[in-house]
Amino acid sequence: MAARLQHVTEIGATPERVWAALTDLQGWKSWNVTLTEPDGALVVGSVVKMKLTMDKRSMPMRQKIIEVSPPSVLRWQSRFGPSWMFSVMRTFRIEQAGEGRSRLEQSEEGTGLLAGTIFRFTGPPTVRGYAAIAEGLDRHLSDRIG
């Protein structure tokens, strides 16, 4: 069974600037309240540890980096138990959206026996987390203009 979550927004910065902020893991502390304390490198095949905060609850995560394609795609995978039970592919996709603007799409594709059930409960707070990431990133990049 597969389930999908998605959030799309515009950011007031070029794709290159959005990419630079998104891939600067140490810089996340200044704008990212959903994914915190990243530890690792965004290198395909490596694992980045971080904390996921949803609705004031925090849990440790291990993300295996699947794709790093500057300045447009960052993708990682998480598993909870065996992959046949629940696996999640998280994608950040950045595209040009006009002069000095970007379209940021955040999505998760959940697969496995428990995907539908887990997404039914975690979907709304996950999408709120996507919105918080986009808002924080937009604010961070807007503060740096000029």
Side-chain angles (χ1 to χ4, degrees), residues 12-33:
T14 64
E16 292 77 15
R17 289 186 64 227
V18 174
W19 179 263
L22 183 63
T23 57
D24 174 17
L25 297 182
Q26 296 311 306
W28 282 12
K29 61 184 160 243
S30 66
W31 61 267
N32 193 337
V33 298

Side-chain angles (χ1 to χ4, degrees), residues 10 31 39 45 47 65 74 79 89 110 117 120 122 143-144:
E10 281 197 16
W31 61 267
D39 181 26
V47 173
I65 306 303
L74 174 61
R79 285 191 353 204
M89 186 71 69
T117 302
R120 199 171 8 252
T122 64
D143 289 347
R144 293 180 170 262

Side-chain angles (χ1 to χ4, degrees), residues 9 13-15 71-72 93-98 101-105:
T9 192
T14 64
S72 57
R93 186 173 309 280
I94 305 164
E95 299 173 349
Q96 185 78 34
R101 298 195 62 77
S102 299
R103 176 185 184 272
L104 174 63
E105 175 187 337

Side-chain angles (χ1 to χ4, degrees), residues 36-146:
T36 61
E37 301 178 31
D39 181 26
L42 295 175
V43 176
V44 173
S46 69
V47 173
V48 175
K49 296 176 186 176
M50 62 185 71
K51 284 189 179 178
L52 169 66
T53 302
M54 292 191 317
D55 291 343
K56 300 181 183 179
R57 292 189 186 130
S58 185
M59 64 185 273
M61 305 284 291
R62 294 174 49 87
Q63 319 290 6
K64 181 176 181 184
I65 306 303
I66 302 298
E67 182 179 357
V68 181
S69 299
S72 57
V73 179
L74 174 61
R75 182 174 291 141
W76 63 57
Q77 183 178 35
S78 301
R79 285 191 353 204
F80 301 91
S83 59
W84 59 268
M85 285 191 59
F86 185 58
S87 180
V88 176
M89 186 71 69
R90 172 74 181 261
T91 303
F92 295 87
R93 186 173 309 280
I94 305 164
E95 299 173 349
Q96 185 78 34
E99 187 68 31
R101 298 195 62 77
S102 299
R103 176 185 184 272
L104 174 63
E105 175 187 337
Q106 300 174 73
S107 63
E108 287 188 19
E109 187 85 26
T111 58
L113 186 63
L114 300 177
T117 302
I118 290 173
F119 272 26
R120 199 171 8 252
F121 292 103
T122 64
T126 298
V127 173
R128 286 193 296 275
Y130 290 166
I133 287 171
E135 290 166 11
L137 185 54
D138 191 41
R139 189 171 38 256
H140 171 71
L141 292 170
S142 295
D143 289 347
R144 293 180 170 262
I145 294 176

